[in-house]
Amino acid sequence: MRSRRLSFRARGFVGSLEISKLHNYLSSAIIMAIRTAHEYNDEEIYERLEPYIGEWFRRTFGAFTPPQRYAIIEIMRRRNMLVCAPTGTGKTFACFLGIINYLCKLARDAKLEDRIYCLYISPLRALGNDIYRNLELPLAEIAKIAKDMGTEMPSIRVATRTGDTSPREKQRMLYHPPHILITTPETAAIILNAPKFSRHLANLEYVIVDEVHEVADSKRGAHLSLTLERLQHDKDFARIGMSATISPVREVAKFLVGRKNEKLRSCLVADVSHAKPFEIEVVSPVKDLVLMDSAEATASMYRCIKDLVDKHRSTLIFTNTRSGAERVSYHLSRLYAGEDVEIGAHHGSLSRETRVGVEEGLKEGRMKAVACSSSLELGIDIGALDLCILVGSPKSITRLIQRVGRSGHEFLAKAKGRLIVLDRDDLVEGAVLARCALERKLDDVQIVGAALDVLAQHIVGMALEKKWGVKEAYDLVKGAYPYRNLSEENFRSILEYLSGSELEGRKVYPKIWYSPSEGVFGRRGRTVRGIYMTHVGTIPSETSIHVYQGRRWIGKIDEPFLERLYKGDVFVLGGKTWVFKHVKGMRAYVEDAFGRSPTIPSWIGEMLPLSFDSAVEIGKFRALMRRKIASQDKIIDWLRGEYHLDKGAAKQIYEYFRQQYSYAEKIPSHERILCEEYFDSLGRQNIIFHALYGRRTLDALSRAYAYKIGREYHTNVAVTISDNGFILKLPVRKRAELRRVTKILKSEEMEEVLRKTLRRTELLKRRFRHCATRGLMVLRQYKGYEIKMGRQQRSSDVVLSAASKMPNFPIVEETHREILEEVMDIRHAKEVLRGMENGKIKVDLVEGLPVPTPFAHNLIALQAADVVLMESRKELLRELHRRVLEYIGDRT
């Protein structure tokens, strides 16, 4: 409310010059708060270290690395700091050495107390375990050197506390707390509300957040930011962030430090992310990605992988799905059958014991190669890899850098990556992303919004601590950067929901008491603490959905896949096609769809989406290729030189673009949308949007266009979506005017239209359950008893039905926000529509051609056959390719 009044006054009482000055002043204030750190030399750092610590460092490492030169002294000075540096450049000791030095001084002077001085928070338990090992040995070595130099001091204790920590170990920590506690975002929130243990955090002096980029754009980040504000309430400690890949650095720094009294806290930034040399090459395993037989192409890919593995000591092979990791591991093991070579797989669906065994094998150098999904992307110490292979595009520049950066672990060792492409779109995508990675362009992190379900959870936690004044609590919450623009109205709506009784008939009971007249709130009931402590966190519980044809069980699908299904969609399960009818609880009901092609590919719920920034870079490349083809430049030589491609790969890209231009005389890009139509064998109109804006943006646009066309022409519209565009399919005898379609959707109506498309969808129902569980409306367990997932979903459906009738109910509003901003990308979707409206984005139409344009072929193939029918898909692509070449030949 206050910010609205401020902007109104600015418009009413000052002119444009004054507004400009105000903007410049605010920008300058932010720049002053977020500043680049000073680099110190080795002598300056050694001078400030305790003698025995300096001696240990000289013996172990000798010289300081770039992040250490920026960070160690500033952290000694208790400054907030964000350290951005590649894997293997000494980030851990850049952040910890100054803290260890401080603790050793206290120990030497007999001033070290039994309390927690430093809290280290990692998004991964395994990463926390690595840090524990990486601190224990150095601390023991430092103590020995100190003793040899005549300094006796008590040991500095380090401990790990996560969901895996035993009750006995927790009890030991209560009476002998560690000086450095390693934990996760969820456990940090739990110990904040542990009545006895939380006192050890009363004089906290340092908090380190590792892999900060991994949480900044998700609800874990919103949750962590509130935890940090609650920890820092009436206290002061230094916040230190670590990451290998961040953009924009200053925005992530703001997320790390938050605000106090509506002013951004200061933060120093040490960005040495360019210090590590990279070598990335794009590899096509076959000479022609269209004409090659699918079986031979697959065999060539595995031979290519084996050849690369043979030439290196230890290789990590990234795939974009868990099933892909299993397939690569299986086929590679068969190729090495009879040889004394150990091949492994690593992904989130494997048991912890299996994953740890593979990690240890990598560290010890026993594993020749490991195929994994995203599970080994983050900074777990996995030893001295000398090659990372990526099977298929990683769908973002940042992810490509993260994955390739896992190799060359030693300081200044070269990170080496090979990106194996699977089709022509993959080849183009890979070439562009590889060049951007070498130029150190990164995708921008989108800081998570003000998640109201997370806020509800924290308000209950705050109420358990004490009685709060509403203004005091509101000011604290607004200090968390994701909540900087939270309105007081929304804050009070959460208090009213948590204290209200409107939903008691649906078994949603009040969790706090709240007096609007007095402006205070506090805890309510004895059972609330147990509910809070067993529901802390944001990671949703997902499960498999059982698929039935009548009473006959067919198989299982994952919830993220179910979220994408509309009534009438056709998908593949067990090698057959099924049409989706409806869901009841955790059961999906289908009918046989014999002879019908899938409308939803089986990987859609698991596949990584192409990011917006990476898509725009591909769009820029397309625009450049269009200009070069039109001017008939020496494109193949240019591609080889600028994109580090071999002649065969460069020629494939050239031919792909030449065929598109010769056939349609149009090439879509980030500034030019291509809208084409074709009629399939049944006479159905297919409207294809070629649009390079990332799959989350296309998800929003495709749903909104389908809704508007459906209302305009009184029909159902089927949607097929990929990273490069989407298809809107109309039924037989229905036809939409192409020019009218491109103007049917306006930017100002986008949110309203999308909200209408979500009504009664499984996406809304499932996401509401997640939000309701985070917001303590629907419980996973109660008084020690687990509540089955089916019952949770049924309860959620009942609550949603009632809550949807209440105006602006916060958890319903949060569900819509999550879907529109996190599942989809409504912000960039609106930008695209505004660009189309103001002419900055041109729209070209393609009509009357006998077959779809070459750039549409992969998208068409998604409709025609699923991944389990790979040979049928390849046959279709070859036939479309043949007909395009025939048409070009006929015209020329």
Side-chain angles (χ1 to χ4, degrees):
M1 297 294 287
R2 189 177 304 161
S3 62
R4 287 181 187 172
R5 286 198 297 269
L6 174 61
S7 70
F8 176 80
R9 287 208 309 271
R11 288 195 298 271
F13 294 103
V14 297
S16 59
L17 179 61
E18 284 73 14
I19 292 174
S20 177
K21 286 179 179 177
L22 176 63
H23 174 77
N24 291 338
Y25 170 77
L26 293 173
S27 299
S28 299
I30 291 172
I31 291 170
M32 289 176 66
I34 310 297
R35 295 184 293 114
T36 301
H38 171 73
E39 183 178 12
Y40 296 86
N41 61 42
D42 287 18
E43 291 72 23
E44 289 174 307
I45 302 172
Y46 276 123
E47 282 175 8
R48 288 167 171 80
L49 291 174
E50 291 286 285
Y52 43 87
I53 294 179
E55 180 60 26
W56 169 80
F57 198 91
R58 281 192 183 92
R59 293 182 190 179
T60 309
F61 302 106
F64 293 98
T65 63
Q68 292 165 353
R69 294 191 187 108
Y70 280 100
I72 290 172
I73 290 178
E74 300 296 1
I75 290 172
M76 285 180 177
R77 291 173 173 170
R78 207 71 58 81
R79 302 279 179 83
N80 295 328
M81 190 151 206
L82 176 60
V83 180
C84 184
T87 300
T89 54
K91 283 198 304 291
T92 300
F93 280 110
C95 296
F96 271 111
L97 198 63
I99 298 170
I100 290 171
N101 194 72
Y102 170 62
L103 295 176
C104 286
K105 274 186 180 180
L106 293 176
R108 181 199 65 192
D109 297 338
K111 294 180 180 179
L112 191 65
E113 300 173 9
D114 277 348
R115 64 179 175 87
I116 298 170
Y117 289 82
C118 173
L119 189 65
Y120 167 92
I121 301 174
S122 162
L124 288 180
R125 294 180 188 180
L127 187 51
N129 292 332
D130 267 354
I131 294 294
Y132 175 80
R133 288 190 291 267
N134 292 339
L135 290 179
E136 280 283 273
L137 181 59
L139 286 170
E141 292 172 346
I142 289 168
K144 184 178 184 303
I145 292 173
K147 185 176 182 181
D148 293 342
M149 296 176 70
T151 301
E152 290 278 357
M153 58 182 186
S155 63
I156 294 168
R157 296 191 295 272
V158 181
T160 301
R161 179 159 177 165
T162 67
D164 294 332
T165 305
S166 68
R168 182 179 178 183
E169 187 62 29
K170 290 177 185 176
Q171 192 71 11
R172 184 183 302 145
M173 284 185 212
L174 183 61
Y175 296 104
H176 299 284
H179 303 112
I180 300 173
L181 179 63
I182 297 166
T183 190
T184 62
E186 291 74 24
T187 303
I190 288 173
I191 62 177
L192 185 57
N193 271 97
K196 294 180 180 178
F197 191 80
S198 60
R199 70 175 187 267
H200 296 310
L201 300 170
N203 296 306
L204 193 62
E205 298 185 47
Y206 296 95
V207 171
I208 298 174
V209 180
D210 205 350
E211 303 290 356
V212 64
H213 71 277
E214 185 66 16
V215 296
D217 63 349
S218 70
K219 288 195 174 184
R220 289 186 88 190
H223 196 279
L224 177 59
S225 69
L226 286 172
T227 298
L228 293 176
E229 290 303 321
R230 289 173 61 193
L231 274 169
Q232 200 149 7
H233 188 55
D234 296 332
K235 297 190 288 290
D236 196 24
F237 54 73
R239 302 190 190 194
I240 303 159
M242 289 195 282
S243 179
T245 47
I246 297 176
S247 179
V249 173
R250 290 180 180 274
E251 192 69 10
V252 176
K254 296 176 203 174
F255 166 80
L256 173 68
V257 298
R259 309 188 322 161
K260 185 175 182 179
N261 299 326
E262 298 199 359
K263 291 183 179 179
L264 196 66
R265 294 185 179 93
S266 63
C267 184
L268 293 173
V269 173
D271 184 3
V272 290
S273 55
H274 305 323
K276 194 180 187 74
F278 272 65
E279 177 192 310
I280 305 173
E281 292 181 9
V282 179
V283 179
S284 173
V286 296
K287 291 182 178 180
D288 193 311
L289 288 162
V290 177
L291 299 179
M292 179 64 72
D293 174 83
S294 62
E296 180 55 34
T298 301
S300 296
M301 181 187 74
Y302 288 119
R303 286 196 298 269
C304 177
I305 293 173
K306 183 178 185 298
D307 183 54
L308 288 168
V309 170
D310 284 339
K311 294 174 181 176
H312 296 84
R313 184 174 65 253
S314 185
T315 302
L316 200 57
I317 307 165
F318 284 100
T319 68
N320 288 343
T321 64
R322 296 173 181 181
S323 57
E326 290 287 353
R327 285 196 301 271
V328 170
S329 175
Y330 170 76
H331 286 287
L332 199 56
S333 296
R334 292 191 64 183
L335 289 175
Y336 278 107
E339 298 184 41
D340 187 20
V341 170
E342 196 167 347
I343 307 294
H346 190 288
H347 55 76
S349 295
L350 295 171
S351 68
R352 182 177 182 274
E353 291 75 17
T354 301
R355 295 197 310 271
V356 169
V358 170
E359 291 163 19
E360 293 299 325
L362 281 169
K363 291 175 191 176
E364 296 165 7
R366 290 186 286 103
M367 308 295 293
K368 182 68 174 174
V370 170
C372 65
S373 59
S374 59
S375 57
L376 290 177
E377 260 179 30
L378 296 183
I380 303 170
D381 182 9
I382 49 175
L385 295 167
D386 52 353
L387 177 68
C388 287
I389 297 173
L390 285 71
V391 179
S393 165
K395 301 299 176 182
S396 92
I397 307 162
T398 301
R399 189 175 292 112
L400 175 57
I401 292 174
Q402 286 172 341
R403 290 182 170 185
V404 174
R406 303 301 282 131
S407 63
H409 196 274
E410 296 83 5
F411 179 53
L412 292 182
K414 183 182 290 185
K416 190 175 180 181
R418 298 292 182 267
L419 203 169
I420 298 178
V421 297
L422 307 174
D423 59 44
R424 294 194 296 184
D425 286 330
D426 222 26
L427 174 56
V428 172
E429 200 171 295
V432 174
L433 298 191
R435 175 169 173 168
C436 290
L438 292 171
E439 294 174 351
R440 294 304 199 274
K441 292 181 180 178
L442 296 174
D443 302 283
D444 283 352
V445 170
Q446 293 186 37
I447 302 298
V448 66
L452 298 180
D453 51 353
V454 174
L455 176 57
Q457 189 179 125
H458 270 279
I459 285 176
V460 172
M462 291 166 68
L464 292 171
E465 295 175 357
K466 66 171 190 177
K467 182 169 77 173
W468 287 81
V470 171
K471 185 181 185 308
E472 179 190 17
Y474 177 56
D475 289 344
L476 181 150
V477 167
K478 286 196 71 175
Y481 192 66
Y483 295 89
R484 63 197 179 279
N485 297 320
L486 178 73
S487 69
E488 190 171 342
E489 180 184 3
N490 280 339
F491 183 77
R492 289 183 180 273
S493 75
I494 291 292
L495 295 177
E496 289 163 1
Y497 143 60
L498 289 171
S499 62
S501 57
E502 295 93 337
L503 293 171
E504 282 196 36
R506 304 296 190 274
K507 298 184 179 179
V508 178
Y509 301 106
K511 308 297 187 303
I512 66 171
W513 62 264
Y514 165 47
S515 172
S517 58
E518 296 179 42
V520 292
F521 68 91
R523 64 175 294 176
R524 178 172 185 161
R526 295 181 178 179
T527 60
V528 174
R529 180 177 296 277
I531 291 172
Y532 173 79
M533 299 297 261
T534 54
H535 289 77
V536 165
T538 62
I539 301 173
S541 299
E542 292 180 344
T543 187
S544 295
I545 306 297
H546 290 265
V547 179
Y548 282 82
Q549 182 189 27
R551 295 184 178 182
R552 177 186 165 216
W553 183 78
I554 304 298
K556 293 187 291 185
I557 57 176
D558 293 331
E559 264 196 306
F561 180 68
L562 176 69
E563 288 179 353
R564 301 288 173 174
L565 293 179
Y566 283 89
K567 183 178 180 181
D569 274 332
V570 178
F571 65 96
V572 173
L573 182 63
K576 295 180 63 178
T577 53
W578 306 94
V579 59
F580 174 65
K581 304 302 290 183
H582 67 276
V583 170
K584 187 174 182 181
M586 306 308 285
R587 289 188 176 191
Y589 290 89
V590 298
E591 290 181 359
D592 196 331
F594 179 76
R596 294 176 60 183
S597 298
T599 59
I600 301 290
S602 65
W603 46 257
I604 197 71
E606 186 183 2
M607 193 73 170
L608 297 170
L610 180 66
S611 69
F612 176 82
D613 293 317
S614 294
V616 168
E617 290 295 332
I618 296 165
K620 292 176 182 177
F621 173 78
R622 284 186 173 186
L624 188 56
M625 285 291 290
R626 180 182 182 276
R627 291 195 293 272
K628 286 188 171 292
I629 286 176
S631 61
Q632 297 184 333
D633 283 355
K634 295 181 179 179
I635 299 175
I636 294 177
D637 290 341
W638 172 77
L639 285 169
R640 294 185 67 187
E642 292 293 319
Y643 290 88
H644 310 287
L645 297 166
D646 63 31
K647 187 174 181 179
K651 186 176 180 181
Q652 287 195 73
I653 290 178
Y654 167 69
E655 287 296 328
Y656 190 25
F657 278 79
R658 184 190 64 80
Q659 291 159 17
Q660 171 73 22
Y661 190 76
S662 298
Y663 184 64
E665 298 180 353
K666 295 178 178 69
I667 291 177
S669 69
H670 65 301
E671 295 177 330
R672 189 174 293 272
I673 290 173
L674 187 63
C675 186
E676 69 170 292
E677 72 172 353
Y678 88 97
F679 292 87
D680 61 23
S681 58
L682 297 179
R684 294 172 298 189
Q685 184 186 24
N686 288 253
I687 301 170
I688 305 173
F689 278 76
H690 299 264
L692 267 294
Y693 305 109
R695 187 157 9 115
R696 290 173 52 234
T697 303
L698 297 185
D699 192 358
L701 289 170
S702 62
R703 288 173 187 263
Y705 272 110
Y707 178 85
K708 290 287 288 186
I709 292 170
R711 295 296 296 269
E712 178 83 8
Y713 294 96
H714 308 289
T715 186
N716 293 323
V717 180
V719 177
T720 302
I721 182 173
S722 78
D723 288 317
N724 298 322
F726 55 88
I727 300 178
L728 307 173
K729 185 194 292 286
L730 278 66
V732 177
R733 291 186 294 277
K734 287 286 184 177
R735 182 172 180 179
E737 182 189 352
L738 211 57
R739 192 172 298 277
R740 167 70 181 139
V741 164
T742 62
K743 298 178 180 179
I744 202 169
L745 180 63
K746 302 298 180 185
S747 57
E748 65 267 16
E749 64 178 339
M750 185 67 178
E751 182 168 346
E752 180 187 358
V753 168
L754 284 177
R755 282 174 173 259
K756 288 176 179 176
T757 71
L758 293 174
R759 292 174 183 169
R760 295 181 295 279
T761 62
E762 287 305 316
L763 177 58
L764 181 68
K765 293 177 183 177
R766 303 286 151 174
R767 293 286 169 158
F768 178 78
R769 191 191 82 231
H770 297 169
C771 293
T773 303
R774 291 188 201 100
L776 309 182
M777 292 184 79
V778 173
L779 304 183
R780 291 192 299 262
Q781 55 178 278
Y782 184 64
K783 293 185 177 181
Y785 292 96
E786 294 287 335
I787 299 173
K788 291 183 178 180
M789 190 65 69
R791 185 176 172 188
Q792 290 180 43
Q793 187 62 52
R794 288 191 295 273
S795 298
S796 173
D797 292 344
V798 170
V799 173
L800 175 61
S801 178
S804 295
K805 298 171 185 174
M806 301 177 185
N808 302 316
F809 190 78
I811 305 302
V812 175
E813 289 300 302
E814 173 56 27
T815 305
H816 281 100
R817 189 207 65 80
E818 177 182 315
I819 294 171
L820 298 182
E821 295 182 13
E822 298 177 32
V823 178
M824 303 177 198
D825 186 350
I826 189 172
R827 178 169 72 88
H828 283 125
K830 286 180 177 179
E831 284 181 15
V832 171
L833 291 173
R834 283 194 289 267
M836 295 168 67
E837 290 159 5
N838 62 30
K840 290 183 179 179
I841 296 176
K842 308 297 182 185
V843 181
D844 290 331
L845 304 182
V846 174
E847 300 173 275
L849 291 174
V851 291
T853 62
F855 279 11
H857 291 181
N858 279 327
L859 191 50
I860 297 295
L862 288 179
Q863 286 188 324
D866 200 71
V867 70
V868 299
L869 307 172
M870 185 59 72
E871 189 52 45
S872 299
R873 181 175 181 270
K874 292 292 289 186
E875 285 177 8
L876 174 65
L877 289 171
R878 285 194 290 268
E879 175 61 17
L880 291 172
H881 181 67
R882 183 191 65 76
R883 292 176 66 185
V884 165
L885 294 183
E886 184 179 84
Y887 184 83
I888 294 172
D890 287 345
R891 288 209 312 186
T892 56

